[in-house]
Amino acid sequence: MSEQRKPSEEYVVIRHRPGYRLKRVLIMIVLTVIAGAGGYAAGLAQGGFRSTGVEASNERLEDKLAALEANYRDARQRLVNLERGKLIDEQALNQARNIIVELETRVGSLKSDLTFYKNIMAPSETSKGLQVDRFSLANDRLAGVYNFKLVLTQVGNNKSYISGVVAVNVIGVRDEEKEVIALRDLSQEIEDLGVKFRFRYFQDVEGKLTLPDGFEPLEVQVVAQAEGRKSSQAERTFGWGDLTEN
């Protein structure tokens, strides 16, 4: 006859979830940071800042960057401690590493934004007035289709608006012959040969472009022409390979 255990002798099984607390902490950090940075970016108008308090905006951005870097260092230290103590399972470890990478990316993005705003307000002597700041491309899901973004800036003297038109051409080769195609002919969002702009600090021009069959792009040429008493021209050429290598 087998012995029956008394209630006090029953075993209690407790599930241990390694890394659960770390995951919650790291997820809360990255959500808080991204929400804060997203709220800040949403406060900027597409054509520039809504008010003249740019210095205050820079200070807020610097504070956010400092807080993010502090959170990043704290998360890194927690990860190192847990790796050394073997207190985290493989799944939690991978998730923690992914969050660290996301934090690193966010830090780099905020630093880039901060540099961008500082350059507008405190430029060098050789980079004042209307500028073609950048032209970027991102692959779309369809072959030959790209998301583009052009950023124009007015560096230094931002007391009044600057207006004019900007033209973008894609230079390449088709059937062994050089061909220049205007952005208007590649993008449904662009209707005119020259896109009108008017801003105080900066302005974005965004959309999709589709390359024609058999066309091999080599360069993107951007020419911005300001009108009126601030009449000036800014021109910049971007290598297609540099734009699509990331």
Side-chain angles (χ1 to χ4, degrees), residues 116-183:
F116 174 73
Y117 298 133
K118 282 185 174 180
N119 287 341
I120 292 177
M121 300 310 299
S124 65
E125 291 297 325
T126 59
S127 61
K128 291 186 177 181
L130 177 63
Q131 301 288 324
V132 178
D133 183 78
R134 72 188 74 165
F135 186 90
S136 59
L137 290 173
N139 290 320
D140 191 78
R141 289 174 296 179
L142 301 176
V145 181
Y146 298 86
N147 297 302
F148 70 85
K149 181 177 181 179
L150 167 65
V151 181
L152 301 175
T153 61
Q154 180 180 202
V155 179
N157 182 12
N158 315 104
K159 294 182 179 180
S160 60
Y161 284 84
I162 187 171
S163 60
V165 293
V166 56
V168 180
N169 295 316
V170 179
I171 304 170
V173 176
R174 181 157 50 175
D175 296 331
E176 298 184 354
E177 293 186 4
K178 181 178 180 181
E179 187 171 353
V180 180
I181 306 178
L183 184 61

Side-chain angles (χ1 to χ4, degrees), residues 26-36 103:
L26 292 178
I27 291 172
M28 288 297 294
I29 290 174
V30 74
L31 289 178
T32 301
V33 170
I34 292 176
L103 284 170

Side-chain angles (χ1 to χ4, degrees), residues 219-230:
E219 295 177 332
V220 176
Q221 181 187 54
V222 182
V223 181
Q225 178 67 54
E227 302 170 343
R229 64 184 184 86
K230 286 193 171 184

Side-chain angles (χ1 to χ4, degrees), residues 32-45 49-50 53-65 106 109-110 113-114 116-118 202:
T32 301
V33 170
I34 292 176
Y40 177 79
L44 298 177
F49 298 110
R50 293 183 183 272
V54 181
E55 291 83 358
S57 298
N58 284 339
E59 291 178 1
R60 289 195 297 272
L61 187 58
E62 288 176 338
D63 291 341
K64 287 180 180 294
L65 180 59
R106 200 70 197 130
S109 176
L110 284 175
D113 290 344
L114 184 60
F116 174 73
Y117 298 133
K118 282 185 174 180
F202 66 92

